Amino acid sequence: MTTSTPTLAIAVMAAGKGTRMKSPELPKVMHTLAGRSMIMHVLHAANQLHPEHLLPIIGHHGEKVQQHVNEKAPEIMLNRIQWVEQKEQKGTGHAVQQLIPHLKNFSGQLIIINGDVPLLNASTLTALLKKHLEEINAATLLTTTLEDPTGYGRIVKNNADRFLAIREHNDCTPAELRIKEVNTGIYIFNWEHLAQVLPELQNDNAKGEYYLTDVLGILASQRYTIGVHCMNDPSEVQGINSRRELAYVEGLLQKRLRNHWMDAGVMLRNPESIMLDCEVTLESNVEILPGTLLKGKTHIETGCTIGPHSVLTDAYIGENSVINQSVITQAKIHDHVHIGPFAHIRPDTEVLSKGKVGNFVELKNTRLGVGSKASHLSYLGDAIIGEHCNIGAGTITCNYDGAHKHKTEMANGVFVGSNSTLIAPISLEENSFVGAGSTLSENVPAGALALGRSRQSNKLGWSEHKRPRK
Ligand code: UD1
Ligand code: MG
């Protein structure tokens, strides 16, 4: 059953230059927190309300933002999206004016969200919408109180606590600067009333911009009812204008994620040193050790110990495995596997049950079979390795001839002696054995011993007569 509210539209303002980020090439709303961009955080929250229209307003580097959202958004979200272009960035009021041609036939409620408020929860929007509808407001505004309100628009009220206006920081009188209740940049409007007053906006302010916030003063002066909902906890509506603020808000989000997983039964040791992306999923009874980063869509099954100092990106880790001081990217590790310390598992690798990958071993596009071991100092690339194989220290698959990649295949029970070089394409059949120090370029039949090295010769008495001495 769909809970769609046919009279709801949500606009997300994401056209601004984001000058204070000092990142001329990367639009502000594409900066990430916990592996997700600001704009995707906001769109995910908005999408949960099932709006009829989801309207990102883009402008500065708009094509980059559009391409980014098209790549990241699930189809159900993309189906709702109508792009709105703000060609010149003349302020938040000017941004919202661009909605007029898109919402010609729309009558209902419009939620407007600043694109730089990524911690906003859908439940907060739902509660705000409920209040807005119950009170039959022309506009309902989400505010909060801040110890340091620098930079935010202040909520100006009269003696009877009636909302009068929002005054931007740069336009405040000294008395107004002392107001601690601020605008969060999240609003709900009855679209009909908003559309009526939008053309009245002026840019006679400190920044010379058309402020959306002025609309609320205009509506209030025309005796429309303006609802104000003040949030006790400001952390959810913290805006991001600079890299310092980004780091601070990401810290809040990391704390939220860590608490979520600890409450679900995950043990985080020295939690402040651990970073989690928001799409990571963890089963209970997983232990994460200090200095570990879990990124992308990493999933970890129960009973695993991960870390310390490991970086897992889009990795799947099966039950009861241990990952110690290693890097794993886009790989599947099965149950009871031991990886590390200091292993590098690269994309398209699969380590099957009870496998072991030890120190200074690199695997790429390789399948290590059940119970097989590569314990020390090896490179295994484009290899398919059977069950219960032993890959000796220093084994290298030579998979690249300068133009093409070639496969190394090992059947079950193969033993590769230390410091062997396997020149691909090559196949080592079941239970074959490679003598240490071999360089092989030909297949090895089942059960055979392959020796690919020159014979040793000992010159007797050489040291006494010929060895050079000082
Ligand atoms: C804005 C509010 C301020 C509020 C604060 C909360 C205005 C005038 N001020 O200030 O009252 O306390 O947010 O965080 O609205 N944008 C456009 N087009 C533009 C300009 C901005 O789309 O021409 C977008 C930006 O990309 C951003 C959002 O609007 O996502 C807010 O812009 P920003 O410059 O960050 O406004 P603040 O100064 O933070
Ligand atoms: Mg802002």
Side-chain angles (χ1 to χ4, degrees):
M1 200 185 87
T2 165
T3 49
S4 128
T5 315
T7 54
L8 182 65
I10 305 184
V12 177
M13 289 191 282
K17 291 203 181 79
T19 320
R20 289 164 279 180
M21 293 303 284
K22 306 268 168 67
S23 65
E25 289 311 310
L26 186 69
K28 170 164 86 170
V29 294
M30 279 173 67
H31 281 267
T32 59
L33 310 82
R36 183 180 274 170
S37 64
M38 283 188 219
I39 183 145
M40 286 312 299
H41 278 289
V42 175
L43 288 174
H44 271 287
N47 195 44
Q48 285 180 48
L49 274 76
H50 311 284
E52 191 184 0
H53 307 281
L54 186 52
L55 305 138
I57 305 174
I58 54 169
H60 180 70
H61 283 314
E63 65 301 333
K64 280 190 189 170
V65 177
Q66 191 169 355
Q67 191 187 354
H68 167 76
V69 172
N70 283 336
E71 271 167 30
K72 300 286 177 186
E75 205 169 312
I76 183 157
M77 189 191 286
L78 284 177
N79 290 340
R80 293 202 168 97
I81 287 182
Q82 279 167 256
W83 295 100
V84 177
E85 200 189 353
Q86 184 195 16
K87 285 203 178 78
E88 273 179 277
Q89 284 67 59
K90 297 185 190 169
T92 48
H94 180 253
V96 172
Q97 285 173 341
Q98 312 311 307
L99 293 172
I100 294 170
H102 293 265
L103 294 177
K104 258 200 184 111
N105 302 317
F106 175 76
S107 78
Q109 311 310 314
L110 170 70
I111 298 182
I112 299 178
I113 314 174
N114 276 5
D116 63 356
V117 189
L119 298 200
L120 178 66
N121 287 316
S123 56
T124 302
L125 291 177
T126 308
L128 194 69
L129 182 60
K130 187 164 173 274
K131 181 183 164 92
H132 174 79
L133 293 172
E134 276 171 6
E135 295 177 358
I136 322 176
N137 294 329
T140 307
L141 170 65
L142 192 63
T143 68
T144 191
T145 49
L146 293 178
E147 256 327 294
D148 177 11
T150 309
Y152 285 83
R154 308 297 205 279
I155 307 301
V156 183
K157 291 178 174 169
N158 68 8
N159 293 337
D161 208 33
R162 207 176 83 89
F163 172 88
L164 292 179
I166 301 176
R167 193 88 64 234
E168 288 307 302
H169 181 97
N170 292 336
D171 302 303
C172 280
T173 63
E176 286 167 346
L177 281 176
R178 286 195 290 275
I179 299 173
K180 297 211 158 151
E181 187 177 5
V182 300
N183 170 28
T184 63
I186 295 148
Y187 326 78
I188 307 185
F189 291 94
N190 178 313
W191 171 243
E192 254 172 83
H193 301 325
L194 175 62
Q196 234 167 19
V197 296
L198 267 179
E200 294 178 29
L201 285 178
Q202 301 292 328
N203 64 350
D204 50 354
N205 51 52
K207 278 192 169 174
E209 289 186 352
Y210 296 90
Y211 293 159
L212 175 62
T213 44
D214 285 350
V215 149
L216 291 133
I218 299 173
L219 287 171
S221 70
Q222 296 180 5
R223 290 271 159 203
Y224 281 106
T225 48
I226 311 293
V228 178
H229 181 70
C230 185
M231 284 190 88
N232 292 330
D233 177 6
S235 62
E236 195 189 319
V237 287
Q238 191 83 38
I240 297 177
N241 299 302
S242 65
R243 289 177 191 256
R244 277 197 203 198
E245 286 170 352
L246 174 65
Y248 174 70
V249 175
E250 182 168 36
L252 297 175
L253 177 54
Q254 287 297 333
K255 191 167 184 192
R256 197 198 262 183
L257 290 165
R258 290 192 296 255
N259 286 344
H260 168 82
W261 291 115
M262 285 194 277
D263 291 347
V266 175
M267 190 65 232
L268 302 182
R269 305 282 177 190
N270 189 3
E272 286 72 27
S273 73
I274 293 167
M275 288 189 82
L276 305 170
D277 275 3
C278 49
E279 289 185 46
V280 165
T281 49
L282 307 170
E283 301 230 317
S284 64
N285 197 30
V286 162
E287 184 174 25
I288 315 284
L289 301 181
T292 294
L293 275 61
L294 302 181
K295 310 206 307 182
K297 290 192 161 78
T298 291
H299 174 78
I300 300 173
E301 297 271 340
T302 187
C304 289
T305 302
I306 314 291
H309 307 292
S310 295
V311 182
L312 277 56
T313 308
D314 296 321
Y316 170 94
I317 314 290
E319 284 180 23
N320 299 308
S321 288
V322 173
I323 314 294
N324 179 9
Q325 308 207 48
S326 292
V327 174
I328 302 180
T329 307
Q330 292 165 25
K332 182 169 184 183
I333 311 299
H334 288 239
D335 61 296
H336 297 89
V337 168
H338 194 290
I339 305 243
F342 318 121
H344 186 189
I345 314 290
R346 293 172 51 202
D348 304 314
T349 290
E350 195 171 354
V351 179
L352 277 82
S353 184
K354 300 192 179 79
K356 182 173 182 235
V357 180
N359 40 213
F360 309 109
V361 174
E362 174 180 346
L363 267 56
K364 188 221 74 177
N365 186 29
T366 282
R367 186 171 197 269
L368 190 68
V370 173
S372 287
K373 293 178 178 157
S375 299
H376 337 262
L377 301 157
S378 286
Y379 171 65
L380 303 171
D382 304 306
I384 297 176
I385 297 166
E387 298 180 3
H388 303 291
C389 292
N390 186 80
I391 314 295
T395 297
I396 305 289
T397 55
C398 307
N399 58 330
Y400 187 48
D401 59 13
H404 301 103
K405 300 282 169 78
H406 300 283
K407 272 205 149 37
T408 298
E409 287 179 275
M410 284 182 219
N412 295 342
V414 168
F415 183 101
V416 182
S418 296
N419 208 29
S420 291
T421 306
L422 308 174
I423 302 172
I426 190 166
S427 168
L428 282 57
E429 291 178 14
E430 203 157 328
N431 291 322
S432 59
F433 199 103
V434 178
S438 291
T439 297
L440 302 185
S441 56
E442 286 168 28
N443 294 344
V444 182
L449 166 68
L451 292 170
R453 64 188 189 220
S454 58
R455 218 169 242 288
Q456 179 176 336
S457 67
N458 295 335
K459 316 277 184 201
L460 295 179
W462 177 88
S463 182
E464 201 179 325
H465 301 295
K466 296 279 169 80
R467 183 172 168 191
R469 294 183 199 276
K470 274 187 191 153

